[in-house]
Amino acid sequence: MDFPAPGPELLGTRLRHLIDLMDAEVAAVYADLGLEGFRPRFAAVVRVLAASGPHSIRDLARAIGVTHSAASQTVAQMARQDLVALAPGEDARTRIVRLTSRAEALLPALEAEWDATAAAAAELEAELSFPLSALVEETLDALGRRPLRRRIAADPRLAARIEAAGIETARVEAARTDRDRTDSARTGAARVSGPSSGG
């Protein structure tokens, strides 16, 4: 049976599949190099610490572009494998992360792998109609301006179907408010700019 090509409605599922596929391939390279247990997500942390020394988890999260929670989880996994060590910072809430001697001993192999992976990624992007790295950055910027949750909640079809089913929730009201705010902003912008002139 033929199925239509996946569209935007399966974006999350397809992105997870892509990440799983790429991570599995890179993890296989680590295994080939004798780096069993070294995960692709560890690489960004090691690179930052190798380049600029110990960092707080918060600064690490900023440097690699993930949430504090994600960085904290990755650091915890790395600590269990004796790749990083943690020490108290200037206040009780801050923990400073540094590479262990085990991680430092792995750096020559990791740096060679990073260079090879960067070259492979560049080759992959050259085969695409648009660079994936640029598209990912554009997507993150767009979601920073307006998160997907707000985009979903503002769809009038969602609120209409929930109301038709007799379900009244705070989320429906929030969706209606967000939609009204968006419509109001559009109307205001149209009043300010006036009709556009043809070119």
Side-chain angles (χ1 to χ4, degrees):
M1 181 178 189
D2 290 334
F3 292 98
E9 72 282 358
L10 291 178
L11 185 60
T13 301
R14 300 298 285 168
L15 284 173
R16 274 188 293 277
H17 175 60
L18 176 61
I19 291 166
D20 289 345
L21 187 64
M22 293 176 75
D23 276 358
E25 294 292 326
V26 174
V29 172
Y30 289 139
D32 292 343
L33 295 173
L35 303 173
E36 291 287 351
F38 192 93
R39 299 184 181 186
R41 73 176 63 171
F42 297 171
V45 173
V46 173
R47 292 189 80 161
V48 169
L49 296 177
S52 51
H55 278 60
S56 69
I57 293 177
R58 186 168 306 283
D59 287 343
L60 264 179
R62 278 197 214 101
I64 63 178
V66 298
T67 63
H68 183 276
S69 173
S72 185
Q73 288 174 21
T74 299
V75 164
Q77 291 170 346
M78 294 176 73
R80 285 195 291 274
Q81 293 202 32
D82 189 32
L83 294 168
V84 296
L86 289 91
E90 291 180 2
D91 62 64
R93 294 173 300 171
T94 305
R95 290 179 300 159
I96 304 300
V97 186
R98 66 167 177 81
L99 293 179
T100 61
S101 56
R102 176 176 182 247
E104 287 172 348
L106 298 176
L107 284 176
L110 290 172
E111 286 169 355
E113 182 277 326
W114 294 335
D115 288 344
T117 299
E123 179 188 312
L124 173 63
E125 284 205 331
E127 297 175 25
L128 306 178
S129 57
F130 191 83
L132 183 59
S133 55
L135 195 55
V136 167
E137 286 307 311
E138 282 188 33
T139 305
L140 290 170
D141 287 346
L143 291 175
R145 291 190 300 272
R146 191 168 184 230
L148 194 58
R149 179 182 180 185
R150 279 181 53 205
R151 294 170 189 267
I152 294 168
D155 189 321
R157 292 167 296 187
L158 176 64
R161 284 187 179 179
I162 290 174
E163 287 173 13
I167 303 167
E168 188 62 36
T169 67
R171 289 185 182 88
V172 172
E173 188 54 42
R176 191 182 297 116
T177 302
D178 190 51
R179 191 173 65 246
D180 292 346
R181 212 180 288 126
T182 303
D183 291 344
S184 229
R186 280 197 195 118
T187 305
R191 276 199 211 102
V192 169
S193 62
S196 61
S197 58

